[in-house]
Amino acid sequence: MRHILGVDIGGTFTDFALIDDAGEINLWKEATTPADPGIAIRDGLAALAETRGLEIRQLIESLDLFVHGQTIATNTVIQRNGPKTGLLCTEGFRDVLYFRDGFKPDRYNVSLPREKDFIRRDLRLPVTERIDYRGDVLQKLDEKSVREAVKVFKKHGVESVAVALLWSIVNPSHEQKVKKIVAKQLPGVPVVLSSDVLPMIREWERTSSTVLSAYILPGISEYTINLEKYLAANGFGHNLLVMQLNGGTATLAQLLKRPIYALASGPAAGPSAGLYCAERMKVNNVITIDMGGTSFDVCMVTDGHPALTQDMRIHDNPVGVSAIEVHSIGAGGGSIAWIDKGGALQVGPQSAGAEPGPACYELGGDQPTVTDVNVVLGYINPDYFLGGRRAINAEASARAIDKVIAKPLGLTTEQAADGIFRIVNTNMVNAIRVVSVEKGIDPRGYNLVVGGGAGPIHAGSLGRELGMAQAIIPRFGGVFCSYGMIVSDVRLDLVRAFASNTAALDLARINKIFSELEGEAIAELKSQGFPRSRIEIRRFADAKYSNQIHELTIPLPSRGKIKKSDIGDIAEEFHGLHERMFSYCVRESEVDLFHWRITALGKLPDTEARVFKRTRKPVSEAQKGTRPVYSSEAGKFKKTKIYDGDLLQHGMTVVGPAVIEQENMTVVVLGKQTLKINRYGDFVLAIN
């Protein structure tokens, strides 16, 4: 029997989703091991193999697909613990990173501290060369200037090099020569070229993306290469696939050429998971939420397409490439409750993480977290956390809440816990409003798709606050993103810069660009084993009105050559999108087009979902008993029915208030809410 596996390293847990060709799913959570993430992966593989009655090697040999998401790249940038990095740039442009685009994030704040640069100025070194906007060489590359700069890098112990030269987006020859010189003088030191990472106009964005790529490359390459070697040594005969921030997967070789795509790797899989379980219910408009141990991630999916952005930033440094628009806040199970200087109760963004973790783990943590709150309020069963694999001390949770929050504020432990619960819910509701209401979208027309071990505890409260009618909680919700990885296609995004205008569109040049990009993408995907019949090509262009400084990305005809008769439709596509985004358009105006893009998808075989027959058994057969659970509405604990989620079957209905327990997640059904189990075993919550 063959298997496919998704593995997602989170801040607290490493999640595993294993599915076989009969549709049977095994889910697993293993505590993340920050010092060496590979330990958690090997331990999780051993546990999954045991559940299947296999040795680890037998399981790995049976894998047709291993997709991996990780937080190493993001954490490296956030924690600024990457390698010493150097930048080679065109003479006269060493301060592109300093001047940025001329704007401050908070432009009216004269006291706003400036973000610390990832490369200090003495390691941003110029080389002598010049290429113009047409790609013509105005001044040949002075190789001596490159060698002199590399000597400085060597003296200072530079461990990674970024190269971003002017107009390499139309002629990368100088960057390629620089790479050869650096490789010869600094053997073993990785070199990242802007013409590989982001061949687009705008120097700051392109340089920033290249620098971030060089900054994260050594860390992710060491870890992922070691993982790939481990898998190969144990019989895995395929490419290791890595989740990208664009919502698709890539081979390790692809990713290491463009490391920027490793950022936000895990959360980008959430929309795929949400869409997968929603579409089989004939639902295309969803808001996916994923509440993990450290963060709460939100994404809008409209008409079956997750929202994309080219404005993603980390520490106000632009990433530059197209990314799934996931809005994240520090509101996970490990988020710490605290009192600010004004005496107000706050939750997050600080997190207890995997080590030491919440107070109830008794691993050294003494700060109250959201997980501690859910234990004290009776939502989480201390005897069944991770199916009983992890001991939970409810008294430790109560002590932490009482000491840090309740006594200073003059509250009972339960009142303090309820206050923390309400505040973290408010934070999450506000995060959902950022991607919906603040963009003019009414969330009431969407379904909530809920993931994360703690997400379903809060889903009923969030949906009720937002006025949403229904929440879908997948059976695999506890390992939401790892499951999303195994239903995500392989994806390759390529872009070429060329300025043109609808008044005089150079169709020959544009069609040549698309032909070259598509040829490159198809060759790459075929080398990975995809037949042409399973390769899908989509075309796009970046468009704007004259004198505008920002573009919108519009779809183009994806088959055949772009013809003169298509120009009017291309212009109208932009006018219509501009009107939808900004409430107006100027149809009599010409449209400028700058970047020509393709997205190439290697379509994976469909993952067949197991379909369950409707049961005639009463829901009472799934009831485990009752226990006191806190009711915010009543302001007290109430006797509440507890159900075994693994015994709930298609056709059963749970009437709230109730708590449903599974090994990897807990679902809370509030009063006046009902929950049904659909034919795929997912929980469908009528919010009311």
Side-chain angles (χ1 to χ4, degrees):
M1 182 170 287
R2 309 305 296 173
H3 300 84
I4 57 178
L5 175 66
V7 179
D8 177 34
I9 299 178
T12 305
F13 289 103
T14 296
D15 295 342
F16 298 77
L18 180 71
I19 187 169
D20 62 28
D21 46 19
E24 188 69 29
I25 302 175
N26 290 102
L27 311 178
W28 190 259
K29 278 183 176 289
E30 192 71 38
T32 294
T33 48
D36 181 1
I39 295 174
I41 291 181
R42 292 191 291 273
D43 289 346
L45 287 171
L48 286 173
E50 185 178 349
T51 63
R52 292 273 177 168
L54 302 170
E55 298 294 327
I56 291 182
R57 184 179 180 89
Q58 290 176 308
L59 174 64
I60 294 175
E61 285 178 338
S62 74
L63 294 176
D64 285 331
L65 193 68
F66 188 116
V67 187
H68 187 33
Q70 44 71 39
T71 56
I72 295 172
T74 305
N75 289 342
T76 298
V77 175
I78 291 173
Q79 297 169 12
R80 291 182 178 268
N81 59 0
K84 184 176 287 187
T85 306
L87 170 67
L88 295 177
C89 55
T90 301
E91 190 172 30
F93 290 85
R94 71 187 301 188
D95 290 317
V96 164
L97 291 178
Y98 183 83
F99 290 119
R100 304 160 74 89
D101 60 355
F103 294 104
K104 296 189 298 184
D106 185 0
R107 65 185 65 182
Y108 300 113
N109 183 355
V110 296
S111 302
L112 182 71
R114 194 179 175 282
E115 280 285 353
K116 183 180 177 183
D117 292 321
F118 281 91
I119 301 179
R120 64 191 200 216
R121 193 173 191 270
D122 63 319
L123 294 180
R124 304 196 302 261
L125 301 180
V127 299
T128 303
E129 65 87 40
R130 197 60 184 264
I131 291 173
D132 70 9
Y133 71 97
R134 293 165 299 199
D136 296 332
V137 177
L138 300 182
Q139 184 173 10
K140 288 185 178 181
L141 176 68
D142 181 354
E143 297 186 8
K144 182 180 178 181
S145 70
V146 180
R147 288 191 289 269
E148 290 299 319
V150 175
K151 285 180 183 178
V152 176
F153 288 167
K154 192 171 186 177
K155 177 182 176 182
H156 287 279
V158 165
E159 302 164 280
S160 188
V161 176
V163 183
L165 304 182
L166 284 182
W167 293 107
S168 60
I169 58 176
V170 290
N171 183 349
S173 61
H174 284 179
E175 283 196 351
Q176 292 164 353
K177 286 181 182 178
V178 168
K179 183 173 184 177
K180 290 179 181 178
I181 295 170
V182 175
K184 187 174 181 179
Q185 290 193 241
L186 292 176
V189 173
V191 182
V192 180
L193 305 183
S194 74
S195 52
D196 289 334
V197 174
L198 190 67
M200 292 171 52
I201 60 170
R202 294 197 176 92
E203 288 307 304
W204 175 44
E205 286 85 348
R206 183 163 60 87
T207 305
S208 171
S209 184
T210 309
V211 166
L212 290 175
S213 291
Y215 193 73
I216 64 179
L217 178 56
I220 63 170
S221 62
E222 180 181 6
Y223 163 70
T224 50
I225 288 172
N226 287 339
L227 175 60
E228 191 171 55
K229 287 179 179 177
Y230 169 77
L231 294 174
N234 283 276
F236 184 58
H238 307 278
N239 286 319
L240 169 65
L241 296 180
V242 184
M243 196 69 201
Q244 303 178 100
L245 54 69
N246 59 14
T249 63
T251 64
L252 187 54
Q254 282 179 294
L255 189 79
L256 296 184
K257 187 177 180 180
R258 302 187 299 167
I260 197 73
Y261 283 86
L263 290 171
S265 171
S272 295
L275 191 58
Y276 174 80
C277 72
E279 283 187 327
R280 61 195 187 189
M281 293 177 59
K282 311 300 182 187
V283 174
N284 289 320
N285 292 334
V286 299
I287 300 174
T288 66
I289 62 172
D290 182 16
M291 185 179 183
T294 305
S295 65
F296 177 76
D297 305 318
V298 192
C299 181
M300 293 287 296
V301 180
T302 302
D303 295 330
H305 297 289
L308 290 169
T309 180
Q310 291 174 22
D311 297 323
M312 179 179 174
R313 295 191 180 191
I314 293 185
H315 282 315
D316 201 41
N317 288 273
V319 171
V321 299
S322 292
I324 297 290
E325 191 170 8
V326 177
H327 180 59
S328 299
I329 63 170
S335 294
I336 295 171
W338 52 287
I339 299 173
D340 65 21
K341 292 180 180 179
L345 179 59
Q346 305 286 346
V347 183
Q350 304 92 338
S351 173
E355 297 175 359
C360 60
Y361 287 9
E362 293 191 296
L363 296 175
D366 59 1
Q367 298 299 304
T369 68
V370 174
T371 294
D372 293 308
V373 165
N374 287 331
V375 170
V376 166
L377 296 180
Y379 300 140
I380 290 178
N381 181 353
D383 299 323
Y384 195 66
F385 192 73
L386 294 183
R389 290 190 288 117
R390 164 158 274 172
I392 291 292
N393 188 333
E395 292 181 358
S397 293
R399 284 196 300 269
I401 294 170
D402 191 50
K403 178 182 177 181
V404 178
I405 305 298
K407 286 185 177 179
L409 294 180
L411 303 172
T412 66
T413 304
E414 291 76 17
Q415 287 173 331
D418 185 48
I420 296 168
F421 186 82
R422 289 171 180 265
I423 287 172
V424 77
N425 283 349
T426 299
N427 293 345
M428 291 189 284
V429 165
N430 289 339
I432 295 171
R433 285 177 171 149
V434 167
V435 303
S436 57
V437 176
E438 290 186 14
K439 296 192 174 184
I441 301 172
D442 188 344
R444 292 175 296 183
Y446 285 67
N447 277 229
L448 201 62
V449 182
V450 186
I457 293 176
H458 301 260
S461 300
L462 303 182
R464 180 172 283 178
E465 179 69 22
L466 290 161
M468 302 175 76
Q470 181 171 273
I472 304 168
I473 305 166
R475 282 270 178 174
F476 54 78
V479 293
F480 196 57
C481 288
S482 62
Y483 193 91
M485 291 170 191
I486 61 180
V487 294
S488 298
D489 294 319
V490 175
R491 175 168 174 154
L492 183 61
D493 288 333
L494 298 176
V495 60
R496 186 78 59 81
F498 170 64
S500 196
N501 183 281
T502 52
L505 212 56
D506 189 340
L507 295 175
R509 178 74 179 273
I510 292 165
N511 284 316
K512 184 183 179 192
I513 288 172
F514 278 131
S515 177
E516 291 171 353
L517 293 178
E518 290 166 15
E520 179 182 343
I522 291 169
E524 172 61 35
L525 292 176
K526 281 186 174 180
S527 72
Q528 297 179 35
F530 288 96
R532 182 63 182 89
S533 60
R534 297 198 68 84
I535 298 174
E536 180 181 323
I537 302 290
R538 300 172 184 170
R539 298 173 182 167
F540 304 89
D542 291 352
K544 70 177 187 63
Y545 291 123
S546 296
N547 300 319
Q548 284 186 321
I549 60 173
H550 294 291
E551 303 92 29
L552 297 177
T553 300
I554 59 172
L556 299 181
S558 293
R559 291 182 178 274
K561 293 184 176 182
I562 305 295
K563 303 182 294 294
K564 189 174 182 179
S565 57
D566 294 321
I567 296 175
D569 293 335
I570 292 171
E572 180 53 37
E573 189 74 46
F574 171 74
H575 296 315
L577 178 58
H578 198 281
E579 188 170 34
R580 291 193 299 274
M581 293 286 291
F582 306 113
S583 77
Y584 79 96
C585 66
V586 187
R587 282 189 165 80
E588 62 272 19
S589 175
E590 300 165 358
V591 177
D592 295 336
L593 299 115
F594 277 90
H595 300 118
W596 308 89
R597 304 174 179 273
I598 68 154
T599 293
L601 300 176
K603 306 290 288 185
L604 296 175
D606 292 335
T607 301
E608 293 294 332
R610 186 177 176 187
V611 177
F612 297 91
K613 292 182 179 179
R614 181 179 291 273
T615 185
R616 294 181 179 275
K617 295 178 182 179
V619 71
S620 58
E621 290 200 7
Q623 187 174 338
K624 300 171 68 172
T626 63
R627 71 166 176 265
V629 174
Y630 193 83
S631 168
S632 291
E633 292 87 350
K636 63 181 180 179
F637 283 91
K638 297 179 70 174
K639 185 178 179 181
T640 303
K641 292 180 179 179
I642 310 299
Y643 293 90
D644 185 334
D646 294 328
L647 297 180
L648 289 173
Q649 300 178 43
H650 173 40
M652 291 182 176
T653 299
V654 174
V655 178
V659 175
I660 298 164
E661 297 177 348
Q662 284 190 292
E663 182 175 343
N664 294 302
M665 69 178 182
T666 301
V667 183
V668 172
V669 184
L670 300 178
K672 298 182 181 179
Q673 294 182 349
T674 58
L675 180 144
K676 295 184 177 181
I677 294 80
N678 68 13
R679 63 199 296 256
Y680 303 103
D682 299 330
F683 304 132
V684 182
L685 179 66
I687 293 173
N688 298 328

